[in-house]
Amino acid sequence: MAPGNDSSVKEFILLGLTQQPELQLPLFFLFLAIYVVSMVGNLGLIVLIVLNPHLHTPMYYFLFNLSFTDLCYSSVITPKMLVSFVKQNIISHAECMTQLFFFAFFVIDECYILTAMAYDRYAAICKPLLYKVTMSYQICHLMTVGVYAMGFVGAMAHIVCMLRLTFCDNNIINHYMCDIPPLLKLSCTSTAINELVVFIVVGVNVTVPSLTIFFSYTLILYNILGIHSAEGRSKAFSTCGSHVIAVSFFFGSIVFMYLKPSNVSGDEDKVSTIFYTIVGPMLNPFIYSIRNKDVHIALRKTLKKTCLSK
């Protein structure tokens, strides 16, 4: 059968996270709770940044975009995943491709937002006198446009290649979402081009941000060690520590998922994907706010205004 986007399969069945009946209900409530916490945490951080002028800085501008991205791609994945715990989860071919597009778009966006945040910390710590020029609002906006442009290009590359495939008889996806690896396994046409595109797109969008972040933090560490004041070093480390944790968690999961050996099982794929699609968006608001005095002050001011307005 010739390749084309007129796939003979018009809908797919998402198997979900597990097929064990006794785990369906507990997992439903677990991931529902994670999703609610993720929504509240990310929306809360977005509202705090918007309402408090002292958070209108490049650091929090990128944190705003990170929370927005986490909010979006968690919403692209989790609601559909919850359905698979309570009934057979059927998704049309068009819906599947749409989910895959937005999933790829927001994940690539997050790669570059984390990179922009690392560069912001480099500029603040290593070039403090030039910080306002290096990280002006115009430059921050241009960086953000670049972030979303890279997400769009990467997502379109995956979708265009996926639409050329034909899915014949097997329409059961061993996953809780429409991800690239399980879809490629269902194709009855050659997936060589798709695999090459995955290798290039994922390679570029992981390698470039990873190297940029690595070199940024190498220079940051070198400058921090040159600070004579123990208080100054502690403040610099605390500023960067949360970002290092988030970066390690996010990129570690992606590298395992897409650049792993081919003999890794589908169940391990699903577990790995959970970390950066569901758990990561829940943890990020806490990672960036628990020890952040600026966020604590903003939260107190916002709560005080809310109480006084009643």
Side-chain angles (χ1 to χ4, degrees), residues 11-59:
E11 61 184 24
F12 297 99
I13 298 172
L14 296 169
L15 284 184
L17 186 61
T18 179
Q19 294 302 296
Q20 300 181 44
E22 67 275 11
L23 295 178
Q24 301 291 335
L25 200 57
L27 287 175
F28 172 83
F29 286 110
L30 172 64
F31 285 103
L32 177 62
I34 290 174
Y35 182 60
V36 170
V37 171
S38 178
M39 292 298 100
V40 172
N42 284 294
L43 275 174
L45 205 50
I46 288 171
V47 170
L48 284 179
I49 292 170
V50 169
L51 294 181
N52 290 272
H54 78 279
L55 296 183
H56 295 176
T57 64
M59 175 181 172

Side-chain angles (χ1 to χ4, degrees), residues 47-281:
V47 170
L48 284 179
I49 292 170
V50 169
L51 294 181
N52 290 272
H54 78 279
L55 296 183
H56 295 176
T57 64
M59 175 181 172
Y60 292 101
Y61 172 74
F62 290 120
L63 185 55
F64 171 92
N65 280 278
L66 180 69
S67 293
F68 172 74
T69 301
D70 282 340
L71 190 73
C72 289
Y73 84 73
S74 181
S75 296
V76 168
I77 302 302
T78 311
K80 198 65 181 173
M81 176 193 188
L82 292 173
V83 172
S84 64
F85 291 124
V86 294
K87 65 177 184 179
Q88 188 180 61
N89 197 356
I90 298 175
I91 184 169
S92 70
H93 184 271
E95 289 174 329
C96 186
M97 295 300 108
T98 302
Q99 185 189 56
L100 177 59
F101 173 83
F102 283 107
F103 166 67
F105 175 73
F106 288 118
V107 168
I108 295 171
D109 287 346
E110 180 138 344
C111 291
Y112 289 99
I113 291 171
L114 291 171
T115 307
M117 293 174 76
Y119 180 75
D120 171 70
R121 291 301 84 206
Y122 159 77
I125 294 171
C126 301
K127 307 286 184 181
L129 298 179
L130 297 173
Y131 181 69
K132 288 187 176 180
V133 176
T134 306
M135 298 302 295
S136 66
Y137 284 110
Q138 291 85 353
I139 291 176
C140 288
H141 291 322
L142 284 174
M143 291 172 71
T144 305
V145 170
V147 164
Y148 291 111
M150 289 298 292
F152 179 79
V153 171
M156 282 300 296
H158 287 308
I159 288 299
V160 168
C161 289
M162 194 62 68
L163 289 175
R164 60 175 290 278
L165 298 180
T166 300
F167 302 95
C168 300
D169 299 319
N170 188 3
N171 68 335
I172 299 175
I173 301 175
N174 185 22
H175 212 294
Y176 57 82
M177 58 178 268
C178 289
D179 200 2
I180 297 168
L183 280 170
L184 294 184
K185 292 177 182 178
L186 300 184
S187 174
C188 53
T189 50
S190 174
T191 60
I193 293 177
N194 297 72
E195 290 168 8
L196 178 61
V197 169
V198 168
F199 182 79
I200 293 172
V201 172
V202 175
V204 169
N205 292 317
V206 170
T207 303
V208 172
S210 297
L211 288 176
T212 305
I213 292 168
F214 174 77
F215 285 120
S216 296
Y217 276 101
T218 299
L219 294 171
I220 288 170
L221 181 61
Y222 177 79
N223 277 266
I224 288 176
L225 294 176
I227 298 174
H228 299 294
S229 164
E231 183 181 351
R233 284 197 300 269
S234 176
K235 184 178 179 180
F237 274 123
S238 65
T239 302
C240 300
S242 57
H243 186 61
V244 171
I245 293 170
V247 165
S248 303
F249 190 86
F250 181 76
F251 281 102
S253 302
I254 287 183
V255 167
F256 177 82
M257 177 66 197
Y258 291 101
L259 302 178
K260 65 185 185 307
S262 57
N263 59 354
V264 175
S265 71
D267 289 337
E268 290 180 8
D269 279 353
K270 288 188 276 189
V271 172
S272 176
T273 309
I274 284 173
F275 282 104
Y276 71 90
T277 58
I278 297 172
V279 178

